[in-house]
Structure formats: C-alpha cells, structure tokens
Amino acid sequence: MVKSVAVMVGSLRKDSLNHKLMKALQKLAEGRLQFHLLHIGDLPHYNDDLWADPPESVLRLKDRIEHSDAVLAITPEYNRSYPGVIKNAIDWATRPYGQNSWKGKPAAVTGTSPGVIGAALAQARLKNDLVYVGTVMMSMPEAYIQWHAEAYAADGSVTDEKTAKFLQAYVDAFVDWIEKHG
C-alpha cells in the first residue's frame, strides 16, 4: 500500500538543491511513497492572535500533516542551523494547544548542501526539534548529502550509481520505518 508523506523543504529558492533532492527521493520511492509538498513559504510568521481567524495556509498545513502517514523534512544549512521557515511551520502545526499535528507521525530528516558535511548540523538541530514536538524520528540511517549536480538528471533521476545506491537505502529504511511506526 502506498504511504502518504508530507514533505517539508526548507529552501524557498526557485533552483533549490534541496527541492532537487526531494525530486530524486520521490523518484526512488515511486510505488511505495506518495510525496505531498508542504507549502511553508506562504505561512505568516507565527502569531497566537491569528487563531481567532486562522489563515488558510495554516489550516492547509495542519490538514496535510494530519492526513499523511509520515513526514519528511529536507533542509539546507544556514549558519549551522535550519531555516526559520521550517521553525515557523513547526510552531504553527503544534497549535492551538492540544492540537499538535506532528504528534505520533513517523518522520525522517535529510538535506544537502555543496559543503562537505551536507547540512549535518542543520539536520541534527531539526531532528531534535521534531522529536520534541512528538514525531517518531528515524535516527538511522543518516543522510548528510554533499550536492554534486552531475549525480542527478533534470527529471530527478539519480545518474551516479554510488549516490543512487545510498539514496535508495535511505528511502528503503524510511519506508520500513513508516511501516513499523505508522
């Protein structure tokens, strides 16, 4: 049975490397996982006063998370952490009090950057915060991916055999994680 995954990509840039990574993972997961991109760029800054008349973007975010079998966060690394747009989405989905959309969702975190450590520090911080809000975090395997454009085709296919094997193992582990904890 195909599992639904709410995917949060932390880069809003048109030519985002992390969005390209999402496409590659999506292609490797075909037939087993169906990705649904969370549109976190249109969320207003968190403000508790807005719950009197919640923005449509917030309601859409919460609904997508709640109607997904799992969550996948794909983050770049900005100044040794993950982007504020992700933190904002985390905060919105935990509210209002008692209506935490993240609670109990199997989750995984990955990310890419041109740097050698492949967004490792951002991923570590994000994993910690997602565990705190109640996701059931996949701790292994970790996927700190140094971006090499030549390893990917425009359609999201992974053209480098070593990269494809690594990413396929990550996707397989995530599918297993969802099956065990969903």
Side-chain angles (χ1 to χ4, degrees):
M1 179 175 177
V2 177
K3 298 293 184 175
S4 174
V5 179
V7 181
M8 182 168 46
V9 177
S11 174
L12 303 178
R13 197 167 61 88
K14 179 183 166 198
D15 202 28
S16 163
L17 302 179
N18 284 276
H19 190 80
K20 290 177 182 181
L21 175 60
M22 181 205 65
K23 285 174 56 178
L25 295 171
Q26 184 174 23
K27 201 149 192 73
L28 292 168
E30 281 180 353
R32 297 183 299 155
L33 301 178
Q34 183 176 15
F35 284 15
H36 299 281
L37 185 62
L38 297 174
H39 299 282
I40 61 176
D42 62 354
L43 295 169
H45 289 284
Y46 184 81
N47 179 343
D48 204 51
D49 293 341
L50 296 178
W51 283 113
D53 185 21
E56 181 60 36
S57 59
V58 171
L59 297 176
R60 187 177 56 243
L61 171 79
K62 290 181 67 63
D63 182 69
R64 174 51 66 198
I65 295 167
E66 291 166 9
H67 288 94
S68 293
D69 298 305
V71 175
L72 175 62
I74 305 173
T75 186
E77 187 166 296
Y78 298 166
N79 299 313
R80 301 293 189 221
S81 191
Y82 60 88
V85 69
I86 291 178
K87 178 65 167 96
N88 191 47
I90 291 170
D91 292 344
W92 274 116
T94 62
R95 300 286 191 261
Y97 182 79
Q99 296 178 35
N100 179 0
S101 302
W102 304 109
K103 187 177 180 184
K105 293 290 177 184
V109 173
T110 188
T112 189
S113 75
V116 175
I117 62 171
L121 294 174
Q123 288 184 52
R125 289 177 187 231
L126 182 52
K127 283 180 182 179
N128 184 64
D129 288 352
L130 285 172
V131 166
Y132 178 77
V133 298
T135 67
V136 183
M137 184 60 60
M138 181 176 83
S139 62
M140 295 299 281
E142 295 177 313
Y144 308 128
I145 301 162
Q146 183 180 19
W147 185 258
H148 296 287
E150 65 277 3
Y152 305 88
D155 70 350
S157 301
V158 185
T159 56
D160 177 76
E161 186 177 328
K162 184 177 173 184
T163 302
K165 184 177 179 182
F166 177 80
L167 292 178
Q168 188 65 64
Y170 182 81
V171 167
D172 293 347
F174 188 41
V175 170
D176 289 345
W177 186 256
I178 296 167
E179 291 291 333
K180 290 177 186 168
H181 300 283

